[in-house]
Amino acid sequence: MIEKYKDSLRDSIKKIAVFRNLPDRYAQLIADGFSMVNFRKGDPIFYQSDKSTDLYVVFRGKVRASLLNREGEEFVLDVFGEGDFFGEMSLLDGRPRSASAIANEDAALGFLRRDKFLETIKAEPMIAIEMLNALVHRLRKTDDVIGTLAFLDVSERLLKFFREIAKTEGKKDKDGLLKIKKQTHKELASRIGSSREAISKALRILWFKKLVSERDGYFLVSPDAGGLSEEKVSA
């Protein structure tokens, strides 16, 4: 599997934020330490409290980081796509996983053993600074999630989620509405920390206010929803 990516692996490594400033010789050292693995949609990469300490990088597909309770209910913390990395907390402190990672779709991942990463940090301490920057960014996102859960009702949280998706994945249709791929009520509930019943009610509120509608497998979000008309969205 690794041979399929070998020619471009070093260049791919340098596109990842935490490794972008590495000299070629250290990028090659990191690349040489990577192994590749495939996962099918729904496969667990690791579970919360697992004792693995590898760093993962997404080369193809998407992976979601989630918290799961004993009843099987899920709260999605983040979704990682091509070029993103995850698993850095256990990589750095050697402690069990703080969340579960599950393949959101078929995915090809590279993983780096903790000892290889620490060996490279000793040779190139700048990696540690880049990793700290990445951790601070994720902590700020966590603060935003906590604020959303604390201060916004379900319809406001759902609209905020739609706005965030529209910024990165939204496409304008002929009427100027922003198309985002439709998700099930269960998936939406897991993304904003709610229930399917509350999602159904929130969608009815957003439809009544003409902020969100549905057509041909897409949600259509009004560009006037929360200042989206001022955001850069793909045409």
Side-chain angles (χ1 to χ4, degrees):
M1 180 65 186
I2 190 68
E3 284 73 18
K4 180 179 178 181
Y5 294 92
K6 198 166 187 178
D7 292 340
S8 61
L9 188 54
R10 189 188 68 185
D11 292 337
S12 297
I13 291 296
K14 295 195 71 173
K15 292 178 183 177
I16 299 167
V18 72
F19 300 129
R20 63 189 168 194
N21 293 320
L22 277 182
D24 285 348
R25 64 185 184 279
Y26 292 127
Q28 190 62 58
L29 181 63
I30 288 286
D32 290 344
F34 263 94
S35 299
M36 300 297 298
V37 61
N38 285 327
F39 290 91
R40 302 295 298 272
K41 180 178 179 180
D43 285 349
I45 291 91
F46 53 75
Y47 285 114
Q48 185 176 348
S49 299
D50 280 358
K51 294 183 179 180
S52 65
T53 56
D54 301 332
L55 177 74
Y56 287 85
V57 174
V58 182
F59 285 93
R60 176 176 53 80
K62 291 184 178 181
V63 172
R64 67 184 185 271
S66 301
L67 299 176
L68 303 170
N69 65 17
R70 293 182 179 178
E71 290 70 41
E73 295 174 324
E74 181 179 15
F75 177 59
V76 178
L77 299 170
D78 209 343
V79 175
F80 304 110
E82 184 176 337
D84 290 333
F85 65 91
F86 61 94
E88 71 282 355
M89 290 181 66
S90 293
L91 176 85
L92 291 172
D93 66 13
R95 299 182 64 184
R97 299 295 187 182
S98 61
S100 300
I102 301 166
N104 220 38
E105 55 189 52
D106 292 353
L109 308 180
F111 64 93
L112 182 69
R113 301 293 184 191
R114 184 170 187 260
D115 57 352
K116 179 64 70 173
F117 180 80
L118 295 178
E119 176 186 339
T120 309
I121 276 187
K122 290 175 184 177
E124 185 55 55
M126 194 65 191
I127 299 177
I129 295 175
E130 295 290 352
M131 183 67 81
L132 284 173
N133 286 335
L135 284 171
V136 167
H137 175 70
R138 290 186 180 175
L139 283 172
R140 291 185 185 278
K141 287 182 69 175
T142 300
D143 287 344
D144 184 55
V145 170
I146 292 171
T148 296
L149 291 172
F151 300 116
L152 300 181
D153 65 26
V154 175
S155 62
E156 291 171 324
R157 288 179 358 224
L158 186 58
L159 185 59
K160 184 175 187 290
F161 173 67
F162 284 155
R163 290 201 306 265
E164 291 169 352
I165 296 297
K167 290 177 190 176
T168 57
E169 301 178 15
K171 304 290 184 182
K172 287 186 179 179
D173 74 356
K174 58 184 176 59
D175 299 318
L177 299 174
L178 305 171
K179 299 168 55 176
I180 58 176
K181 188 176 179 181
K182 185 179 176 183
Q183 299 183 41
T184 67
H185 290 196
K186 180 180 179 181
E187 289 170 330
L188 292 173
S190 71
R191 293 305 304 270
I192 69 167
S194 185
S195 66
R196 283 177 288 185
E197 294 77 11
I199 290 294
S200 298
K201 181 179 178 181
L203 282 172
R204 288 196 296 271
I205 291 171
L206 296 178
W207 288 336
F208 178 76
K209 292 181 177 180
K210 298 186 178 182
L211 295 174
V212 176
S213 56
E214 182 183 325
R215 185 174 70 228
D216 299 329
Y218 289 91
F219 288 122
L220 303 174
V221 184
S222 168
D224 296 323
L228 261 179
S229 57
E230 300 173 3
E231 301 286 352
K232 184 177 179 181
V233 179
S234 301

